[in-house]
């Protein structure tokens, strides 16, 4: 006996409704009350960046267990490279993810900064800590300093950033050793940040925009991957697996948005297809910018009515459809989540197509085992941003006969954020310091070792490994840090040695800042 698809969907809906397994009404509109304190989560998501600061800390530093570190960075090459961010739980400054982090923090503020209220200034400070460093790294024409620290030697130690005695080697790209992906991402970061500071600091904004233009010209003129030029030093840590074409399109999109110079729109028109604009690659993160560029450029068509960018609406729709099980181009995988059914349910499930089942079930978006949460936060941000563009133009997405409304996009994004904050089988918040249960043994040197205030004496390179391998909770709470997250079966061991699941990173947090601002505002918390 077989049921038609519509009847199967109706049957499944009936069962779910009458077993209270899944309250379907919450799928279509936000309830009147929030199950999470999104404002608190927003505050903490921004605070995290203060724990990742390198250089001389300011008087208003709020994460007080950190101290000054790496104050001679760049001296080996006679340049000033003090400042910036440590990307994750180690003490290396990687320019590629740092630039992406800065771009996404800026985009968060550009789209949702008007909703942030008191947190807007903290978000700007987080962006400026990144851009001040990127300006130093791009001070010399046709040269970008893209890394400080020898990653292999750094990873052989478990020591606080304040105690670092590993080589602070400096690595650069130039005309002879090109790195178009890191250069174009740096241009994107500077251009996006110029929009953030346009009103609050116009002089700084103009400096950022001018530098972005120069850096993008360098990225485009001297084409090549930094993964080739600097392979022994940047791989396997932040190898560019997607190539540099996506960053060139992404950088041009941001420069078009920031400068309104017709040359960038023309660049996109001429080079868009060559740079992979239509590729069905629906990953968005520090390495792959295709989906982000499509969403960003879709606004130019939807809102600004730039007809030459019509195709980007279709490309953005394809990204959305890839996330909807049963839709055309669907490719996303989700963890099982926490829906539990009575035993008789499974008798009926055999008659219901997997397609319709997955439309209703599923937990966390799962892309890969290493730092999967970065794809959750970046995807949630893109969905909320695209929903904003669609709403303002009264537009929807059509996924092979399935109509996806902006409201549906917001619901999907909210579900992902809620899972991250604790609505999951383990009732675990994957943001440190948020909620009653969160990771206590994160893979982070400074957080895991006693602070200088508690232990003023130097902790030697290898001495810290006794702490790293222990089961004791981290003594310093890195508030707001979002870890790599659970595996594909919703499991999370909370082990410090498990960097794939337990390590936080700046590029996990940065897109979530915008998503949390939207959710906090939509539930009246801001």
């Amino acid at each position: 006996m077989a049921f038609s698809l519509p009847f199967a969907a109706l049957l499944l809906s009936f069962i779910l409704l009458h077993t209270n397994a899944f309250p379907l009404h919450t799928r279509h509109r936000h309830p009147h009350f929030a199950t999470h304190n999104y404002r608190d989560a927003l505050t903490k998501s921004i605070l995290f960046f203060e724990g990742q600061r390198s250089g001389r800390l300011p008087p208003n530093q709020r994460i007080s267990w950190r101290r000054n570190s790496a104050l001679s960075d760049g001296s080996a090459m006679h340049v000033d490279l003090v400042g910036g961010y440590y990307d994750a739980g180690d003490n290396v400054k990687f320019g590629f993810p740092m630039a992406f982090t800065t771009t996404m923090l800026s985009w968060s503020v550009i789209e949702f900064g008007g909703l942030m209220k008191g947190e807007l200034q903290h978000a700007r400070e987080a962006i400026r800590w990144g851009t001040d460093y990127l300006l130093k790294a791009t001070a010399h024409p046709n040269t970008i300093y893209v890394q400080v620290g020898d990653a292999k030697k750094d990873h052989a130690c478990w020591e606080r950033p304040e105690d670092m005695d590993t080589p602070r080697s400096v690595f650069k790209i130039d005309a002879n050793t090109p790195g178009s992906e890191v250069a174009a991402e740096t241009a994107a970061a500077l251009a996006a940040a110029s929009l953030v500071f346009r009103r609050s600091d116009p002089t700084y904004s103009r400096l950022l925009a001018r530098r972005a233009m120069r850096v993008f010209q360098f990225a485009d003129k001297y084409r090549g991957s930094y993964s080739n030029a600097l392979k022994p030093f940047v791989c396997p840590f932040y190898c560019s697996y997607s190539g540099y074409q996506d960053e060139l399109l992404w950088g041009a999109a941001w420069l078009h948005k920031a400068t309104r110079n017709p040359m960038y729109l023309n660049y996109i028109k001429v080079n868009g297809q060559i740079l992979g604009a239509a590729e069905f690659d629906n990953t968005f993160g520090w390495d792959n910018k295709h989906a982000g560029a499509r969403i960003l450029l879709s606004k130019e068509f939807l809102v600004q009515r730039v007809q030459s960018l019509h195709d980007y609406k279709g490309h953005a729709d394809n990204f959305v459809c890839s996330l909807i099980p049963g839709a055309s181009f669907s490719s996303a995988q989700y963890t099982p989540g926490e829906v539990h059914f009575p035993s008789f349910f499974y008798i009926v499930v055999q008659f219901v197509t997997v397609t319709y089942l997955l439309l209703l079930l599923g937990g966390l978006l799962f892309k890969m085992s290493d730092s999967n949460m970065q794809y959750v936060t970046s995807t949630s941000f893109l969905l909320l941003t695209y929903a904003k563009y669609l709403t303002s133009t009264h537009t929807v997405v059509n996924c092979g006969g399935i109509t996806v409304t902006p409201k549906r996009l917001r619901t999907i994004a909210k579900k992902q954020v809620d899972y991250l904050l604790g609505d999951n089988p383990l009732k675990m918040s994957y943001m440190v310091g948020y909620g009653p249960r969160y990771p206590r043994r994160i893979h982070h040197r400074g957080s895991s070792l006693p602070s200088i205030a508690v232990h003023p004496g130097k902790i030697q390179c290898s001495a810290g490994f006794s702490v790293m391998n222990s089961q004791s909770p981290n003594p310093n709470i890195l508030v707001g840090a979002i870890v790599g997250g659970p595996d594909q079966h919703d499991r999370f061991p909370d082990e410090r040695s498990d960097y794939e699941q337990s390590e936080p990173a700046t590029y996990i947090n940065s897109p979530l800042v915008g998503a949390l601002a939207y959710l906090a505002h939509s539930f009246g918390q801001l």
Side-chain angles (χ1 to χ4, degrees):
M1 178 181 178
F3 295 142
S4 68
L5 294 186
F7 182 77
L10 279 171
L11 178 61
L12 181 58
S13 300
F14 177 82
I15 293 166
L16 292 172
L17 279 168
H18 289 275
T19 58
N20 294 316
F22 197 93
L24 292 183
H25 66 277
T26 63
R27 292 172 48 78
H28 301 293
R29 60 186 177 86
H30 296 330
H32 295 299
F33 62 92
T35 54
H36 288 286
N37 187 336
Y38 300 113
R39 180 174 187 166
D40 181 50
L42 171 64
T43 297
K44 289 170 175 171
S45 71
I46 300 170
L47 180 60
F48 158 75
F49 290 95
E50 296 191 19
Q52 295 301 111
R53 284 171 168 170
S54 180
R56 189 172 300 281
L57 303 183
N60 63 348
Q61 170 79 11
R62 293 178 292 167
I63 292 191
S64 57
W65 50 265
R66 283 296 321 283
R67 294 289 189 275
N68 297 337
S69 62
L71 296 181
S72 61
D73 276 4
S75 59
M77 298 280 280
H78 307 290
V79 291
D80 175 11
L81 295 175
V82 176
Y85 289 112
Y86 303 116
D87 71 298
D90 52 25
N91 301 322
V92 184
K93 294 194 305 207
F94 295 98
F96 193 22
M98 195 193 308
F100 177 70
T101 293
T102 306
T103 308
M104 292 309 298
L105 273 174
S106 298
W107 199 4
S108 287
V109 169
I110 289 164
E111 297 297 346
F112 303 110
L115 313 178
M116 288 182 182
K117 301 287 178 66
E119 291 305 321
L120 177 58
Q121 184 54 32
H122 290 134
R124 284 191 188 126
E125 288 170 5
I127 293 165
R128 190 157 187 156
W129 196 267
T131 51
D132 281 352
Y133 176 82
L134 295 176
L135 287 171
K136 291 180 177 183
T138 58
H140 300 114
N142 293 339
T143 301
I144 302 179
Y145 296 96
V146 296
Q147 185 173 317
V148 182
D150 184 314
K152 292 183 175 71
K153 292 179 179 177
D154 177 271
H155 288 186
C157 291
W158 194 266
E159 59 186 354
R160 303 176 296 199
E162 295 84 359
D163 287 338
M164 267 190 294
D165 50 13
T166 50
R168 300 302 286 171
S169 308
V170 176
F171 304 97
K172 67 176 181 177
I173 56 172
D174 55 29
N176 298 316
T177 52
S180 296
E181 63 277 268
V182 64
E185 182 59 68
T186 301
L190 295 167
S194 75
L195 290 165
V196 170
F197 294 103
R198 180 163 285 173
R199 290 185 179 177
S200 61
D201 192 338
T203 303
Y204 189 65
S205 173
R206 287 192 294 271
L207 171 63
L208 294 171
R210 286 195 302 270
R211 186 66 56 83
M213 295 174 74
R214 191 177 85 187
V215 170
F216 183 79
Q217 185 180 22
F218 163 66
D220 190 45
K221 183 177 181 180
Y222 300 101
R223 291 194 182 189
S225 173
Y226 94 139
S227 294
N228 296 330
L230 298 173
K231 188 172 184 176
F233 312 108
V234 303
C235 296
F237 313 102
Y238 289 102
C239 256
S240 177
Y241 298 101
S242 69
Y244 59 78
Q245 290 82 0
D246 53 317
E247 277 82 21
L248 288 175
L249 181 62
W250 172 245
W254 276 111
L255 276 158
H256 166 64
K257 188 175 179 69
T259 68
R260 291 296 160 186
N261 187 318
M263 65 185 280
Y264 296 110
L265 181 58
N266 186 60
Y267 180 95
I268 294 162
K269 290 178 189 175
V270 172
N271 296 287
Q273 298 302 314
I274 302 167
L275 299 177
E279 285 183 12
F280 297 113
D281 187 336
N282 294 305
T283 302
F284 182 55
W286 62 262
D287 181 30
N288 193 326
K289 317 298 157 47
H290 282 303
R294 291 173 205 155
I295 298 291
L296 187 64
L297 289 170
S298 72
K299 183 182 182 182
E300 298 299 301
F301 167 70
L302 286 167
V303 180
Q304 268 78 40
R305 299 296 180 187
V306 180
Q307 292 301 318
S308 61
L309 298 179
H310 170 273
D311 288 351
Y312 290 93
K313 165 68 164 69
H315 301 329
D317 286 357
N318 290 341
F319 166 70
V320 168
C321 295
S322 77
L323 299 168
I324 310 291
S328 55
F329 311 120
S330 175
S331 59
Q333 294 182 313
Y334 294 85
T335 67
E338 60 176 336
V339 180
H340 302 287
F341 301 100
S343 58
F344 80 85
F345 172 80
Y346 296 99
I347 300 171
V348 180
V349 163
Q350 62 181 307
F351 298 114
V352 183
T353 65
V354 172
T355 294
Y356 274 91
L357 181 63
L358 288 176
L359 276 169
L360 296 170
L361 310 183
L364 191 71
L365 175 67
F366 195 85
K367 283 275 188 182
M368 59 184 69
S369 58
D370 189 356
S371 299
N372 178 65
M373 204 61 87
Q374 67 177 295
Y375 305 109
V376 175
T377 60
S378 61
T379 299
S380 297
F381 175 84
L382 290 186
L383 289 175
L384 290 173
T385 299
Y386 197 42
K388 179 182 172 184
Y389 301 163
L390 294 171
T391 299
S392 68
T393 54
H394 308 288
T395 314
V396 296
V397 176
N398 190 295
C399 296
I402 299 173
T403 299
V404 182
T405 63
K407 188 178 292 185
R408 177 80 182 275
L409 300 189
R410 294 186 184 105
T411 299
I412 296 169
K414 178 181 178 296
K415 183 178 179 182
Q416 294 298 301
V417 174
D418 286 349
Y419 183 111
L420 185 156
L421 294 177
D423 290 1
N424 55 63
L426 298 180
K427 305 301 179 191
M428 166 80 78
S429 161
Y430 291 102
M431 177 186 284
V432 173
Y434 177 87
R437 189 177 186 209
Y438 53 83
R440 303 286 176 168
R441 287 173 284 276
I442 67 171
H443 184 94
H444 190 278
R445 288 157 175 77
S447 173
S448 68
L449 294 166
S451 68
I452 285 179
V454 173
H455 189 290
K458 181 179 173 67
I459 299 174
Q460 299 291 339
C461 163
S462 58
F465 280 106
S466 62
V467 172
M468 198 278 276
N469 295 319
S470 77
Q471 289 298 306
S472 58
N474 288 11
N476 309 307
I477 308 301
L478 185 57
V479 175
I482 303 162
V483 297
D487 66 14
Q488 66 267 38
H489 303 293
D490 300 297
R491 297 175 303 203
F492 182 77
D494 195 12
E495 292 177 358
R496 196 176 291 113
S497 59
D498 183 359
Y499 65 88
E500 290 191 344
Q501 291 183 255
S502 293
E503 188 169 18
T506 54
Y507 46 84
I508 302 178
N509 272 62
S510 52
L512 190 66
V513 169
L516 288 171
Y518 166 76
L519 289 169
H521 173 78
S522 68
F523 284 97
Q525 297 173 355
L526 280 171

